[in-house]
Amino acid sequence: MDKEKKAEAIAEMADSLADFVIRTARDKDAPPEAVRSLPEAAKVALDLLDYC
């Protein structure tokens, strides 16, 4: 896999995690486990973007 495709795949993973964080934060009925995972999920998304 070339660097551009690898960076694109990593950016897509970060985008998916960011979407999860946003949707879960807005969902008043979100399971407690999901809410507790938000800080770590946001950190991983930012780390992935930093890695690109």
Side-chain angles (χ1 to χ4, degrees):
M1 183 181 282
D2 66 9
K3 284 186 176 184
E4 186 175 316
K5 293 233 185 243
K6 190 175 186 179
E8 187 176 308
I10 292 169
E12 286 178 21
M13 286 188 281
D15 185 53
S16 292
L17 270 173
D19 283 344
F20 165 77
V21 170
I22 291 167
R23 282 192 323 270
T24 304
R26 289 181 177 169
D27 184 0
K28 294 189 185 292
D29 296 323
E33 309 83 44
V35 174
R36 283 193 298 270
S37 73
L38 291 179
E40 185 64 23
K43 182 187 177 310
V44 171
L46 291 173
D47 288 345
L48 284 170
L49 288 174
D50 189 43
Y51 180 77
C52 294

